[in-house]
Amino acid sequence: MSRPDAPYREACDVVIVGGGASGLSLAHHLTATGSRTVTVVEAPDGPRRAPERTWCYWEQGTGDFDEAVCAAWPRLRVHGTGGDTRIVDPAPLSYRMIRSSVFERLAHARLARSAGGRLLRATAERASRA
């Protein structure tokens, strides 16, 4: 963009507003085949940018974001309403945790390497269909 208040006008197939876990995961999957161009709009550094956080999810086997996993739990301790405790094996699933900064670096690098991926650090004020 030439000016901060100038509209961004570059054609692409999909615009994703928000570079969190969902937005970056979606961008990764949409650009993986190389058939779509995707622009992710995420807040620049500053007060509108979300602080460091963690995301947890269930997965079976290996996944697309294993490089970003910082913890995984193959067994769970479950506390019942009566105070009893059980150790549960949720196989074939495991519960995994990723830190946002590690995940964002990985997803940004993959987006940059993809033929149709773009990252735009900006604040979206409105969106309209062309």
Side-chain angles (χ1 to χ4, degrees), residues 19 27-29 40 48 54 56 87-88 90-91 94 108-109 114 116 126-127:
H28 168 72
H29 289 290
V40 176
R48 293 187 177 184
T54 58
C56 294
I87 302 295
V88 178
S94 68
H108 289 169
S114 71
R126 70 172 181 244

Side-chain angles (χ1 to χ4, degrees), residues 67-129:
E67 295 171 60
V69 172
C70 62
W73 295 271
R75 293 185 320 260
L76 305 174
R77 180 178 297 136
V78 180
H79 300 275
T81 57
D84 56 324
T85 301
R86 298 183 77 193
I87 302 295
V88 178
D89 179 359
L93 301 174
S94 68
Y95 193 59
R96 299 175 184 177
M97 180 177 78
I98 56 177
R99 297 192 191 289
S100 59
S101 59
V102 176
F103 177 74
E104 288 168 359
R105 280 193 300 275
L106 175 63
H108 289 169
R110 289 181 180 177
L111 197 61
R113 286 193 308 265
S114 71
R118 294 181 214 127
L119 177 65
L120 176 62
R121 289 289 188 98
T123 302
E125 294 181 10
R126 70 172 181 244
S128 62
R129 276 187 98 131

Side-chain angles (χ1 to χ4, degrees), residues 3-26:
R3 298 184 344 245
D5 59 345
Y8 182 76
R9 298 184 191 271
E10 188 170 326
C12 65
D13 298 318
V14 178
V15 175
I16 300 170
V17 178
S22 297
L24 290 172
S25 296
L26 179 60

Side-chain angles (χ1 to χ4, degrees), residues 28-66:
H28 168 72
H29 289 290
L30 290 174
T31 59
T33 62
S35 62
R36 291 194 174 100
T37 56
V38 176
T39 298
V40 176
V41 180
E42 66 178 40
D45 291 336
R48 293 187 177 184
R49 191 149 180 82
E52 173 77 17
R53 55 220 176 274
T54 58
W55 297 306
C56 294
Y57 61 98
W58 293 94
E59 190 159 49
Q60 181 176 342
T62 59
D64 287 344
F65 302 109
D66 285 349

